[in-house]
Structure formats: structure tokens, C-alpha cells
Amino acid sequence: MAEPTITDNTAEHRYEAHLDGELAGYLVYEQDGEVVDLPHTKVFSQYEGKGVAGALVRHGLDDIRARGGLRDSDALLSH
């Protein structure tokens, strides 16, 4: 199974996953100062079960961490 290609669509404030050149799903992000919220993930039905949601979340968290916005796993456990 091919890994989705993840891009940051800054105009739409979302990470997008593509499989075979088609939009397979997205992860919305909202930033307020140093706080980044990930309120919604959407995977289109024909791509369910192909690892799209997991890839989106991993990429989103890695990107936020790289920008200094996620310091440790305690941030995930506090919600």
C-alpha cells in the first residue's frame, strides 16, 4: 500500500493527504498564538482503511513539534 503524500494547504488551514494524485483526506488546524488545535479529520470513504488518517495526524503533530508548538506527550494527555 502506498503512503499518502501530505502537504500543508495554508490557505485552507489544513494538511491534505493525496493518494495517486487524488485528495484522500485532510486534517484541519486552527492556530491562536502558540496554541494549535486539530479539530477535524476527514477521510473520503473510498480511502478509508488505507492509513490516511494516521498519516495525517502523524504529519500534523510532527510539523507542530518541528515548529516548537508541541513540547511533549503531556500536551496530548491533558485533553
Side-chain angles (χ1 to χ4, degrees):
M1 178 182 333
E3 281 288 314
T5 301
I6 311 292
T7 57
D8 183 359
N9 181 339
T10 57
E12 296 289 328
H13 302 280
R14 66 187 194 182
Y15 297 104
E16 297 180 341
H18 293 83
L19 282 171
D20 299 322
E22 297 292 324
L23 182 63
Y26 56 86
L27 171 63
V28 176
Y29 60 84
E30 299 170 352
Q31 186 162 0
D32 183 11
E34 293 183 16
V35 176
V36 180
D37 189 22
L38 305 172
H40 182 71
T41 303
K42 169 70 177 173
V43 176
F44 298 107
S45 60
Q46 64 268 38
Y47 298 105
E48 290 177 357
K50 298 185 180 197
V52 174
L56 281 164
V57 171
R58 279 189 302 278
H59 182 90
L61 292 175
D62 287 348
D63 188 51
I64 293 165
R65 188 178 293 111
R67 296 178 195 201
L70 185 63
R71 291 171 194 82
D72 57 41
S73 61
D74 291 340
L76 296 174
L77 300 175
S78 66
H79 289 76

